[in-house]
């Protein structure tokens, strides 16, 4: 393949589009509305599309991994957002350490599983 990739943007579904839009905005993402059924969310160097579309098997099996530079600091800032108080459907799972590094987890209002992780420095 002769190309220089610039970005990758997964398409994520939403059980309740407006609730998911509010959740990602509360997380700190900036929303750019494309049309009434599609938005793109940006945060620093990452982006994803959120669709007003829900297929249970698809959403239940969607996972996204985001590498962060300092997981402990990220986790503290995530907790400070009080997402589980604002969005009862959301779950946060504290950081866990593995052979390769560490990660924490966020389940969005639709059940999409976000992994936020930091690889061990070699």
């Amino acid at each position: 393949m002769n190309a220089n990739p610039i970005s990758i943007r997964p398409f994520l579904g939403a059980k309740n589009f407006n609730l998911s839009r509010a959740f990602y905005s509360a997380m700190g993402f900036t929303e750019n509305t494309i049309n009434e059924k599609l938005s793109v969310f940006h945060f620093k160097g990452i982006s994803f599309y959120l669709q007003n579309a829900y297929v249970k098997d698809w959403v239940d099996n969607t996972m996204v991994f985001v590498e962060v530079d300092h997981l402990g600091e990220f986790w503290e800032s995530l907790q400070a957002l009080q997402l589980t108080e604002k969005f009862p459907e959301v779950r946060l799972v504290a950081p866990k350490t593995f052979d390769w590094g560490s990660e924490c987890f966020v389940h969005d209002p639709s059940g999409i599983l976000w992994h936020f992780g930091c690889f061990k420095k070699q």
Side-chain angles (χ1 to χ4, degrees), residues 5 9 15 26 46 51 53 63 69 75 80 91 99 105 110 118:
R9 294 182 183 180
K15 186 185 286 187
I46 65 170
Q51 301 177 88
M63 293 187 280
D69 53 0
W75 177 249
R91 289 190 312 134
D99 291 343
F105 306 95
S110 299
C118 184

Side-chain angles (χ1 to χ4, degrees), residues 54-105:
Y54 179 73
V55 176
K56 183 174 175 27
D57 286 344
W58 167 46
V59 170
D60 285 352
N61 288 289
T62 299
M63 293 187 280
V64 180
F65 183 92
V66 178
E67 183 179 2
V68 296
D69 53 0
H70 300 287
L71 186 62
E73 291 174 19
F74 175 79
W75 177 249
E76 288 176 16
S77 66
L78 192 61
Q79 288 183 299
L81 297 174
Q82 299 181 324
L83 295 170
T84 56
E85 288 82 11
K86 296 173 186 172
F87 304 93
E89 310 82 357
V90 169
R91 289 190 312 134
L92 304 180
V93 179
K96 297 181 185 217
T97 301
F98 302 95
D99 291 343
W100 57 267
S102 55
E103 66 182 339
C104 66
F105 306 95

